[in-house]
Coordinates of all heavy atoms in Angstrom, one line a residue:
Chain A
D78 N -38.0 32.2 13.9 CA -36.7 32.3 14.4 C -35.7 31.7 13.5 O -35.6 30.5 13.4 CB -36.6 31.7 15.8 CG -35.4 31.9 16.6 OD1 -34.4 32.3 16.0 OD2 -35.5 31.7 17.8
L80 N -32.4 31.0 13.1 CA -31.4 30.0 13.5 C -32.1 28.6 13.8 O -31.7 27.6 13.3 CB -30.6 30.5 14.7 CG -29.6 29.5 15.2 CD1 -28.5 29.2 14.1 CD2 -28.9 30.0 16.5
L81 N -33.1 28.7 14.7 CA -33.8 27.4 15.1 C -34.5 26.8 13.9 O -34.6 25.6 13.8 CB -34.7 27.7 16.3 CG -34.1 28.2 17.5 CD1 -35.1 28.4 18.6 CD2 -33.1 27.1 18.0
I84 N -32.0 25.0 11.9 CA -31.3 23.8 12.5 C -32.2 22.6 12.8 O -31.8 21.5 13.0 CB -30.7 24.4 13.8 CG1 -29.2 24.2 13.8 CG2 -31.2 23.8 15.1 CD1 -28.5 24.7 15.0
I88 N -31.2 18.6 13.0 CA -31.2 17.8 14.3 C -31.9 16.5 14.0 O -31.5 15.4 14.4 CB -31.8 18.6 15.4 CG1 -30.9 19.8 15.8 CG2 -31.9 17.7 16.7 CD1 -31.5 20.6 16.9
V123 N -19.9 -0.4 21.0 CA -19.9 0.1 22.3 C -20.5 -0.8 23.2 O -21.4 -1.6 22.8 CB -20.7 1.4 22.4 CG1 -20.6 2.1 23.6 CG2 -20.3 2.3 21.2
N124 N -20.1 -0.9 24.5 CA -20.7 -1.9 25.3 C -21.9 -1.5 26.0 O -22.4 -2.1 26.9 CB -19.7 -2.5 26.3 CG -19.2 -1.4 27.3 OD1 -19.4 -0.3 27.1 ND2 -18.5 -1.8 28.3
V125 N -22.4 -0.2 25.7 CA -23.7 0.2 26.2 C -24.6 0.5 25.0 O -25.4 1.5 25.0 CB -23.6 1.4 27.1 CG1 -23.1 1.0 28.5 CG2 -22.8 2.5 26.6
L128 N -28.4 1.5 25.1 CA -28.7 2.8 25.7 C -28.3 3.9 24.8 O -28.9 5.0 24.8 CB -28.0 2.9 27.0 CG -28.5 2.1 28.2 CD1 -27.8 2.4 29.4 CD2 -30.0 2.4 28.4
V129 N -27.3 3.7 24.0 CA -26.8 4.8 23.1 C -27.9 5.0 22.0 O -28.3 6.2 21.7 CB -25.5 4.3 22.3 CG1 -25.3 5.3 21.2 CG2 -24.4 4.4 23.3
F131 N -31.1 4.5 22.5 CA -32.2 5.1 23.2 C -31.9 6.6 23.4 O -32.8 7.5 23.2 CB -32.3 4.4 24.6 CG -33.5 4.7 25.3 CD1 -34.8 4.4 24.7 CD2 -33.5 5.1 26.6 CE1 -35.9 4.7 25.4 CE2 -34.7 5.4 27.2 CZ -35.9 5.1 26.7
A132 N -30.6 6.9 23.7 CA -30.3 8.3 24.0 C -30.4 9.1 22.7 O -30.9 10.2 22.7 CB -28.8 8.4 24.5
I133 N -29.9 8.6 21.6 CA -29.9 9.3 20.3 C -31.4 9.5 19.8 O -31.7 10.6 19.3 CB -29.0 8.7 19.3 CG1 -27.6 8.7 19.8 CG2 -29.1 9.4 18.0 CD1 -26.6 8.2 18.9
S135 N -33.9 9.9 21.8 CA -34.4 11.0 22.6 C -34.0 12.4 22.1 O -34.7 13.3 22.2 CB -33.8 10.9 24.0 OG -34.0 9.6 24.6
M136 N -32.8 12.4 21.5 CA -32.3 13.7 20.9 C -33.2 14.1 19.7 O -33.3 15.3 19.4 CB -30.9 13.6 20.5 CG -29.9 13.6 21.6 SD -29.7 15.2 22.2 CE -30.7 15.1 23.7
I138 N -36.2 14.2 19.4 CA -37.4 14.9 19.7 C -37.2 16.4 19.5 O -38.1 17.2 19.2 CB -37.8 14.6 21.2 CG1 -38.1 13.2 21.4 CG2 -38.9 15.5 21.7 CD1 -38.4 12.8 22.8
Y139 N -36.0 16.9 19.7 CA -35.7 18.3 19.7 C -35.9 18.8 18.3 O -36.4 20.0 18.1 CB -34.3 18.6 20.1 CG -34.1 18.6 21.6 CD1 -33.3 17.6 22.1 CD2 -34.7 19.5 22.4 CE1 -33.2 17.5 23.5 CE2 -34.6 19.4 23.8 CZ -33.8 18.4 24.3 OH -33.7 18.3 25.7
V142 N -39.7 19.5 18.2 CA -40.1 20.6 19.0 C -39.7 22.0 18.5 O -40.4 22.9 18.4 CB -39.6 20.4 20.4 CG1 -39.8 21.6 21.2 CG2 -40.2 19.3 21.1
L143 N -38.4 22.0 18.0 CA -37.9 23.3 17.5 C -38.6 23.6 16.2 O -38.8 24.8 15.9 CB -36.4 23.2 17.3 CG -35.6 23.2 18.5 CD1 -34.1 23.1 18.2 CD2 -35.8 24.5 19.3
G145 N -41.7 22.9 15.4 CA -43.0 23.4 15.7 C -42.9 24.8 16.2 O -43.7 25.7 15.9
W146 N -42.0 25.1 17.1 CA -41.9 26.4 17.7 C -41.4 27.5 16.8 O -42.0 28.6 16.7 CB -40.9 26.4 19.0 CG -40.5 27.7 19.5 CD1 -39.3 28.3 19.3 CD2 -41.3 28.6 20.2 NE1 -39.3 29.5 19.9 CE2 -40.5 29.7 20.5 CE3 -42.6 28.5 20.7 CZ2 -40.9 30.8 21.3 CZ3 -43.0 29.6 21.5 CH2 -42.2 30.7 21.7
L154 N -47.0 24.8 15.9 CA -46.8 24.7 17.3 C -47.5 23.5 17.9 O -47.0 22.7 18.7 CB -47.1 26.0 18.0 CG -46.8 26.1 19.5 CD1 -45.3 25.9 19.7 CD2 -47.3 27.3 20.1
G157 N -46.1 20.3 16.8 CA -44.8 20.0 17.4 C -45.0 19.5 18.8 O -44.4 18.5 19.2
L158 N -45.8 20.2 19.6 CA -46.0 19.9 21.0 C -46.6 18.5 21.1 O -46.2 17.7 21.9 CB -46.9 20.9 21.7 CG -46.2 22.2 22.0 CD1 -47.2 23.1 22.7 CD2 -45.1 22.0 23.0
S161 N -44.1 15.7 20.0 CA -43.0 15.4 21.0 C -43.6 14.8 22.3 O -42.9 13.9 22.9 CB -42.2 16.7 21.3 OG -43.1 17.7 21.7
A162 N -44.8 15.3 22.7 CA -45.3 14.7 24.0 C -45.6 13.2 23.7 O -45.4 12.3 24.6 CB -46.6 15.4 24.3
I165 N -42.3 11.2 23.8 CA -41.7 11.0 25.1 C -42.5 10.0 25.9 O -42.0 9.2 26.6 CB -41.8 12.4 25.9 CG1 -40.9 13.4 25.3 CG2 -41.3 12.2 27.3 CD1 -40.9 14.7 25.9
E168 N -41.7 6.5 24.8 CA -40.3 6.1 25.1 C -40.2 5.3 26.3 O -39.3 4.4 26.5 CB -39.4 7.3 25.3 CG -38.5 7.6 24.2 CD -37.7 8.9 24.4 OE1 -37.5 9.2 25.6 OE2 -37.3 9.5 23.5
L185 N -25.5 -5.3 27.6 CA -26.1 -4.2 26.9 C -25.6 -4.0 25.5 O -26.0 -3.1 24.7 CB -25.8 -2.9 27.6 CG -26.7 -2.6 28.9 CD1 -26.1 -1.4 29.6 CD2 -28.0 -2.2 28.4
Chain B
N25 N -31.8 35.7 24.9 CA -32.9 34.9 24.4 C -33.1 33.6 25.1 O -32.1 32.7 25.0 CB -32.7 34.7 22.9 CG -34.0 34.1 22.2 OD1 -34.8 33.6 22.9 ND2 -34.0 34.2 20.9
M27 N -34.9 30.9 24.7 CA -34.9 29.7 23.9 C -33.5 29.3 23.5 O -33.1 28.1 23.6 CB -35.7 30.0 22.6 CG -36.2 28.8 21.9 SD -37.5 28.0 22.9 CE -38.1 26.9 21.7
H28 N -32.7 30.2 23.1 CA -31.3 30.0 22.7 C -30.6 29.5 23.9 O -29.7 28.6 23.8 CB -30.6 31.2 22.1 CG -31.1 31.5 20.8 ND1 -30.7 32.6 20.0 CD2 -32.0 30.9 20.0 CE1 -31.3 32.7 18.9 NE2 -32.2 31.7 18.8
V30 N -31.7 27.7 26.3 CA -32.0 26.2 26.6 C -31.2 25.4 25.6 O -30.6 24.3 26.0 CB -33.6 26.0 26.4 CG1 -33.8 24.5 26.4 CG2 -34.2 26.7 27.5
M31 N -31.2 25.8 24.3 CA -30.5 25.0 23.3 C -29.0 24.9 23.6 O -28.3 23.9 23.5 CB -30.7 25.5 21.9 CG -32.1 25.4 21.5 SD -32.9 23.8 21.7 CE -31.9 22.8 20.7
I34 N -28.3 22.5 26.3 CA -28.3 21.1 25.8 C -26.9 20.8 25.2 O -26.4 19.7 25.3 CB -29.5 20.9 24.8 CG1 -30.8 21.1 25.5 CG2 -29.4 19.6 24.1 CD1 -31.9 21.1 24.6
P50 N -19.0 5.2 30.3 CA -20.1 5.4 29.3 C -21.5 5.3 29.8 O -22.3 5.9 29.2 CB -19.7 4.1 28.4 CG -19.0 3.2 29.2 CD -18.2 4.0 30.2
F51 N -21.7 4.5 30.9 CA -23.0 4.5 31.4 C -23.5 5.8 31.9 O -24.6 6.2 31.7 CB -23.1 3.4 32.5 CG -24.5 3.2 33.0 CD1 -25.4 2.6 32.2 CD2 -24.9 3.6 34.2 CE1 -26.7 2.4 32.6 CE2 -26.2 3.4 34.6 CZ -27.1 2.8 33.8
V54 N -24.4 8.0 28.8 CA -25.7 7.8 28.2 C -26.8 8.2 29.2 O -27.9 8.7 28.8 CB -25.9 6.4 27.7 CG1 -25.2 6.2 26.4 CG2 -25.6 5.4 28.7
T55 N -26.6 8.0 30.5 CA -27.7 8.4 31.4 C -27.8 9.9 31.4 O -29.0 10.4 31.4 CB -27.2 8.0 32.9 OG1 -26.9 6.6 32.9 CG2 -28.3 8.3 33.9
I57 N -27.3 11.9 28.8 CA -28.0 12.3 27.6 C -29.5 11.9 27.7 O -30.4 12.7 27.4 CB -27.4 11.6 26.4 CG1 -26.0 12.0 26.2 CG2 -28.3 11.9 25.1 CD1 -25.8 13.2 25.3
I58 N -29.8 10.7 28.2 CA -31.2 10.2 28.2 C -32.0 11.1 29.2 O -33.0 11.6 28.8 CB -31.3 8.7 28.6 CG1 -30.7 7.9 27.6 CG2 -32.8 8.4 28.8 CD1 -30.7 6.4 27.9
Y60 N -30.9 13.9 31.4 CA -30.7 15.3 31.5 C -31.0 16.0 30.1 O -31.9 16.9 30.0 CB -29.2 15.7 31.8 CG -29.1 16.4 33.1 CD1 -28.3 16.0 34.1 CD2 -29.7 17.7 33.3 CE1 -28.2 16.7 35.3 CE2 -29.6 18.4 34.4 CZ -28.9 17.9 35.4 OH -28.8 18.6 36.6
A61 N -30.3 15.7 29.1 CA -30.5 16.3 27.8 C -31.7 15.9 27.1 O -32.3 16.6 26.3 CB -29.3 16.1 26.9
G62 N -32.2 14.7 27.4 CA -33.4 14.2 26.7 C -34.7 14.4 27.4 O -35.7 14.4 26.7
A63 N -34.7 14.5 28.7 CA -36.0 14.7 29.4 C -36.1 16.0 30.1 O -37.1 16.7 30.0 CB -36.2 13.5 30.4
I64 N -35.1 16.3 31.0 CA -35.2 17.5 31.8 C -35.2 18.8 30.9 O -36.0 19.7 31.1 CB -34.0 17.6 32.8 CG1 -34.1 16.4 33.7 CG2 -34.1 18.9 33.5 CD1 -33.0 16.4 34.7
M65 N -34.3 18.8 29.9 CA -34.3 19.9 29.0 C -35.5 20.1 28.1 O -35.9 21.1 27.8 CB -33.0 20.0 28.2 CG -31.8 20.1 29.0 SD -31.8 21.3 30.3 CE -32.0 22.8 29.4
V66 N -36.2 19.0 27.8 CA -37.4 19.0 27.0 C -38.5 19.7 28.0 O -39.3 20.5 27.5 CB -37.9 17.6 26.6 CG1 -39.3 17.7 26.0 CG2 -36.9 17.1 25.6
L69 N -37.8 23.3 27.8 CA -38.2 23.8 26.6 C -39.7 24.0 26.5 O -40.2 25.1 26.0 CB -37.8 22.8 25.5 CG -37.5 23.3 24.1 CD1 -36.4 24.3 24.1 CD2 -37.1 22.2 23.2
F70 N -40.4 23.0 27.0 CA -41.9 23.1 27.0 C -42.3 24.3 27.8 O -43.2 25.1 27.4 CB -42.6 21.9 27.6 CG -42.8 20.8 26.6 CD1 -42.0 20.7 25.4 CD2 -43.8 19.9 26.8 CE1 -42.2 19.7 24.5 CE2 -44.0 18.9 25.9 CZ -43.2 18.8 24.8
V72 N -40.6 27.1 28.5 CA -40.3 28.3 27.8 C -41.2 28.6 26.7 O -41.6 29.7 26.5 CB -38.8 28.2 27.3 CG1 -38.5 29.3 26.4 CG2 -37.8 28.3 28.4
M73 N -41.6 27.5 26.0 CA -42.6 27.7 24.9 C -43.9 28.1 25.4 O -44.6 29.0 24.8 CB -42.7 26.5 24.0 CG -41.4 26.2 23.3 SD -41.7 25.1 21.9 CE -42.4 23.7 22.8
L74 N -44.4 27.4 26.5 CA -45.8 27.6 26.9 C -45.9 29.0 27.6 O -47.0 29.6 27.4 CB -46.2 26.5 27.9 CG -46.5 25.2 27.2 CD1 -46.7 24.1 28.3 CD2 -47.7 25.3 26.4
N76 N -44.1 31.5 27.0 CA -43.6 32.5 26.0 C -42.7 33.5 26.7 O -42.9 34.7 26.7 CB -44.8 33.3 25.4 CG -44.5 33.7 24.0 OD1 -43.4 33.6 23.6 ND2 -45.5 34.2 23.4
V77 N -41.6 32.9 27.3 CA -40.7 33.7 28.1 C -40.1 34.8 27.3 O -39.5 34.6 26.3 CB -39.6 32.8 28.6 CG1 -38.6 33.5 29.5 CG2 -40.2 31.7 29.4
S132 N -15.8 0.9 34.1 CA -16.7 1.3 33.1 C -17.8 0.2 32.9 O -18.8 0.4 32.2 CB -16.1 1.4 31.7 OG -15.8 0.1 31.3
S133 N -17.7 -0.9 33.6 CA -18.7 -2.0 33.4 C -20.0 -1.6 34.1 O -20.0 -1.3 35.3 CB -18.1 -3.3 34.0 OG -19.1 -4.0 34.6
V134 N -21.1 -1.8 33.3 CA -22.4 -1.5 33.9 C -22.7 -2.5 35.0 O -23.4 -2.1 35.9 CB -23.5 -1.6 32.8 CG1 -24.8 -1.3 33.3 CG2 -23.1 -0.6 31.7

Side-chain angles (χ1 to χ4, degrees):
Chain A
D78 188 339
L80 178 65
L81 296 178
I84 239 182
I88 295 179
V123 188
N124 63 347
V125 286
L128 289 182
V129 168
F131 196 55
I133 298 182
S135 310
M136 287 281 103
I138 296 179
Y139 284 112
V142 169
L143 287 179
W146 166 256
L154 183 62
L158 282 178
S161 52
I165 296 175
E168 251 177 28
L185 280 170
Chain B
N25 188 342
M27 197 71 168
H28 290 177
V30 173
M31 297 312 295
I34 296 170
F51 186 70
V54 284
T55 306
I57 298 267
I58 295 176
Y60 241 123
I64 298 179
M65 295 316 294
V66 172
L69 207 62
F70 272 27
V72 168
M73 290 197 306
L74 287 174
N76 211 350
V77 179
S132 76
S133 138
V134 180

